[in-house]
Amino acid sequence: MSIAATSPMSIKLDATVRDRLNSIATRHKRTSHAIAREAIETYVAREEAREALNQEALSSWNHFQETGLHVTGDDLNAWIESWGTKDELPPPKCRT
């Protein structure tokens, strides 16, 4: 991230949380600002990934509702359990 792409933001923290953050920063020889920024970046990335996963699941559900195509849990488990064996199975085919 370039400095030009950043913008300041003020966050009010409970004194106890601020003390805990400062303690972590001291132990890691980093600034509390750097740790807070990293925590926020990690949180935002995790929430974006969670939302993408939810959207993918919803899209899959809608596709199933429209087509009836699916893979059974038994077929999926058999395929996964065959991984790395001499009798590795091909991916299961969708059923209607």
Side-chain angles (χ1 to χ4, degrees), residues 21-94:
L21 178 61
N22 287 334
S23 177
I24 292 169
T26 299
R27 284 194 308 273
H28 290 271
K29 296 182 173 133
R30 298 178 65 199
T31 65
S32 58
H33 171 85
I35 291 174
R37 186 178 63 214
E38 182 180 328
I40 292 168
E41 288 170 355
T42 299
Y43 176 81
V44 168
R46 185 180 66 229
E47 290 302 310
E48 288 171 340
R50 184 182 323 227
E51 181 60 27
L53 182 62
N54 287 341
Q55 289 301 318
E56 183 180 348
L58 182 59
S59 177
S60 294
W61 174 250
N62 289 336
H63 183 263
F64 168 72
Q65 292 292 310
E66 292 170 8
T67 66
L69 293 174
H70 66 283
V71 173
T72 68
D74 289 341
D75 288 347
L76 187 62
N77 286 334
W79 175 54
I80 292 171
E81 288 173 4
S82 77
W83 289 356
T85 70
K86 64 180 177 130
D87 298 318
E88 189 167 315
L89 299 172
K93 297 200 184 289
C94 288

